[in-house]
Amino acid sequence: MIDTSVMHIGLDDTDSVRGGCTTYLAAVLIEKLAQVPVHFVDYPALIRLNPNVPWKTRGNGALCLRFQYPTQLTDDIKQLALTFWEQHAHTSAKGTNPGIVFYDKENISQELTDFSRQAETSIVTLKDAVKLIRKVGAEALGYNNCRGILGALAAIGETLTGDYTYELIAYRVATNCGTKRLVDKESVFNMDQLLQPKVFNNIDVEKRRILITPRGPDPVLFGIRGESADVVKQAFGLVKSLEPVERWVIFRSNQGTDAHLRHVSSMDKLEHYSSVILSGIVSKDPQIVPVRHVIFSLKTFFGEIDCAAYEPTGNLRKIARELVIGDYLEVMGAVHKATKTRPLTLNLEKINILNLNQKLVQQNPLCPNCQKRLKSMGKQQGFRCEKCGEKFVNLTKQETIIPRPLQIGLYVTSTRSQRHLTKPLRRFKQEKQNEPVLLINDWFYLNKNV
């Protein structure tokens, strides 16, 4: 009987502004490992980390491959992966800091899981990562400032035992990289219409744009997000590519799960670069600032914070503009620390309206004779009816309830401006929890004809 082991390989930050893609590197590495052969125990993990860190990569995503293999091949497999990684990572590019981590134990420790959770919600340091790598017996290699080691280790620690989604990523042939992606727009809209709500964030209904195609020089042709491996594979069959697909891979991911958000209970927990959930009452009416941003103040039980809905958030900005003092909200977004010119601010991703306060305005009374709105004759001088000419010195202004255009419920920033981790409305009530993962047949594919 052959002795077997399980290995986890974490990868991060191998691309640059000139091209490359860590998911593509993982896709090719899957092909090479399949020839060893190894037995994959899970889909490759595409883990999005804290979207607020200033040094993030384009989507701040890291990768992990998990597989079972003959123990005697441990060194050979590590050398194969390391050689391939060194050949294809953009190690000399400015701002690129590749990292690779090997962990050859089957079970992921709680310390690794905790590190991953921290990397999704706040800031982790290379010092902490190196200390943990040594403690759990992993191996790591990094280039330049080695920041990619952080993401690689976090990808290993995120086992997606809670909520998760899938993404099928199709790649173009190398000669087409850098050119406009050629995908039939109508086929994407038709796919979304046919498979909703099992697919999400693939189109922008407001602007009638497709969102599956990136714009950079990387080899990604398009990526389809959905609730299951079966549904993204079905969606792939419905999308018409007008250029050759070199290969595709199905990834399991924390995208669209709100994994970056956490509840906080005090002001000192509002850490810069973190994404939080707060509840409170609107304490200052919304103000429109230059470039059409909307800012209002929220009073929580532990302090007050400004909340900003910026112009790119689309519909969310319109909702924020209609709020009034006294509205009770739950808000979600990224914390930006106070500066000399700006107070502590929450950049909004979502507004959950829990209760709407009455909006009252002072109006002149109606004429008792003809029911026409009276005109004021001046302070404390009463009112006059322009229609019948009668004067009324004893009447006073009346408080009138103005209908609100808002309703109680959750409002999310427009699809085009949602972060990878933001849970869209379409995903609510489809969350997964400790569901078993079974690999479907043919979850990765290589087109040998291109």
Side-chain angles (χ1 to χ4, degrees):
M1 185 175 180
I2 299 176
D3 185 30
T4 62
S5 302
V6 173
M7 185 179 295
H8 313 260
I9 301 179
L11 304 161
D12 189 28
D13 200 11
T14 63
D15 55 346
S16 72
V17 294
R18 299 198 314 264
C21 174
T22 307
T23 69
Y24 181 73
L25 190 150
V28 180
L29 184 54
I30 288 169
E31 175 201 348
K32 293 185 176 297
L33 290 170
Q35 296 170 1
V36 170
V38 305
H39 170 67
F40 289 94
V41 296
D42 199 346
Y43 295 92
L46 171 53
I47 305 303
R48 302 291 182 179
L49 305 176
N50 183 359
N52 304 313
V53 294
W55 50 81
K56 68 178 183 180
T57 54
R58 283 194 293 267
N60 210 22
L63 282 297
C64 179
L65 307 181
R66 310 181 196 274
F67 52 88
Q68 189 177 47
Y69 67 98
T71 304
Q72 65 188 36
L73 298 179
T74 298
D75 292 339
D76 293 337
I77 289 174
K78 289 180 180 179
Q79 189 58 54
L80 181 154
L82 191 60
T83 300
F84 178 75
W85 174 76
E86 288 183 316
Q87 288 174 346
H88 295 279
H90 288 215
T91 56
S92 62
K94 183 179 179 181
T96 301
N97 307 286
I100 185 170
V101 176
F102 298 96
Y103 183 66
D104 52 8
K105 297 178 183 177
E106 182 173 357
N107 295 322
I108 301 299
S109 69
Q110 186 61 47
E111 290 170 302
L112 278 171
T113 300
D114 292 343
F115 179 85
S116 178
R117 179 60 178 155
Q118 187 179 356
E120 290 169 338
T121 59
S122 59
I123 302 295
V124 291
T125 68
L126 183 60
K127 181 179 179 181
D128 290 337
V130 171
K131 182 178 178 181
L132 181 57
I133 286 168
R134 289 172 176 165
K135 185 174 181 178
V136 300
E139 298 174 89
L141 180 65
Y143 278 95
N144 303 326
N145 69 16
C146 299
R147 192 172 283 136
I149 290 176
L150 301 177
L153 185 63
I156 290 175
E158 177 54 274
T159 56
L160 299 171
T161 53
D163 193 18
Y164 58 86
T165 60
Y166 290 85
E167 182 171 4
L168 185 150
I169 301 181
Y171 301 92
R172 60 204 322 211
V173 296
T175 53
N176 286 345
C177 291
T179 63
K180 182 180 179 180
R181 273 87 174 168
L182 301 178
V183 177
D184 181 72
K185 176 180 174 180
E186 289 305 315
S187 73
V188 181
F189 276 87
N190 292 338
M191 173 274 293
D192 185 82
Q193 179 66 30
L194 182 64
L195 298 180
Q196 65 172 316
K198 295 299 182 181
V199 292
F200 64 92
N201 283 10
N202 297 306
I203 61 170
D204 177 2
V205 176
E206 293 177 32
K207 298 290 185 180
R208 194 160 176 79
R209 287 171 40 199
I210 63 172
L211 302 176
I212 66 173
T213 52
R215 299 180 182 179
D218 55 88
V220 174
L221 178 55
F222 59 81
I224 303 171
R225 305 173 188 94
E227 293 296 332
S228 69
D230 283 318
V231 81
V232 294
K233 189 174 180 181
Q234 183 182 354
F236 173 76
L238 296 172
V239 171
K240 297 177 182 178
S241 174
L242 304 179
E243 63 176 280
V245 173
E246 185 214 69
R247 69 181 71 224
W248 55 260
V249 176
I250 296 175
F251 296 88
R252 197 160 71 95
S253 180
N254 61 350
Q255 293 176 150
T257 65
D258 279 346
H260 60 310
L261 297 173
R262 60 186 177 90
H263 290 272
V264 293
S265 57
S266 62
M267 290 295 283
D268 61 354
K269 299 295 184 181
L270 295 176
E271 301 170 349
H272 193 29
Y273 302 132
S274 64
S275 293
V276 300
I277 303 172
L278 297 173
S279 297
I281 295 174
V282 176
S283 55
K284 292 180 184 176
D285 281 326
Q287 303 292 319
I288 300 177
V289 298
V291 203
R292 298 187 293 172
H293 306 323
V294 177
I295 296 179
F296 62 89
S297 294
L298 190 77
K299 186 176 182 180
T300 72
F301 72 92
F302 55 79
E304 194 170 41
I305 185 171
D306 274 3
C307 299
Y310 293 108
E311 197 278 334
T313 63
N315 185 56
L316 197 68
R317 180 178 57 87
K318 298 175 184 177
I319 299 302
R321 193 170 55 194
E322 298 294 336
L323 297 171
V324 300
I325 292 174
D327 286 343
Y328 181 41
L329 314 175
E330 183 180 63
V331 294
M332 288 145 267
V335 176
H336 283 253
K337 66 181 179 181
T339 65
K340 292 182 179 179
T341 59
R342 187 179 70 173
L344 185 69
T345 304
L346 190 73
N347 291 353
L348 293 168
E349 291 181 32
K350 298 181 180 180
I351 298 174
N352 189 12
I353 300 178
L354 303 175
N355 188 57
L356 288 168
N357 196 22
Q358 288 185 337
K359 185 174 183 179
L360 302 174
V361 297
Q362 296 279 338
Q363 288 186 318
N364 293 344
L366 296 174
C367 176
N369 300 324
C370 56
Q371 298 301 304
K372 181 177 174 59
R373 190 73 62 186
L374 298 175
K375 293 290 184 181
S376 174
M377 295 190 297
K379 190 175 182 180
Q380 296 181 343
Q381 295 184 40
F383 301 89
R384 178 175 55 85
C385 180
E386 290 186 331
K387 185 175 182 180
C388 66
E390 188 122 11
K391 296 181 180 180
F392 305 91
V393 295
N394 295 322
L395 294 180
T396 59
K397 284 182 177 286
Q398 302 170 336
E399 273 195 340
T400 303
I401 299 175
I402 301 298
R404 304 283 304 276
L406 300 179
Q407 293 182 341
I408 291 173
L410 181 65
Y411 298 87
V412 183
T413 181
S414 295
T415 307
R416 61 185 174 277
S417 58
Q418 287 177 18
R419 277 136 169 220
H420 289 89
L421 283 168
T422 301
K423 186 194 296 184
L425 291 175
R426 189 179 282 187
R427 285 218 64 240
F428 281 81
K429 297 185 179 180
Q430 296 196 88
E431 297 89 346
K432 307 169 189 68
Q433 192 66 42
N434 297 319
E435 294 185 12
V437 177
L438 299 175
L439 271 70
I440 64 172
N441 293 328
D442 302 325
W443 54 268
F444 66 96
Y445 170 78
L446 171 64
N447 185 357
K448 297 180 180 179
N449 297 320
V450 297

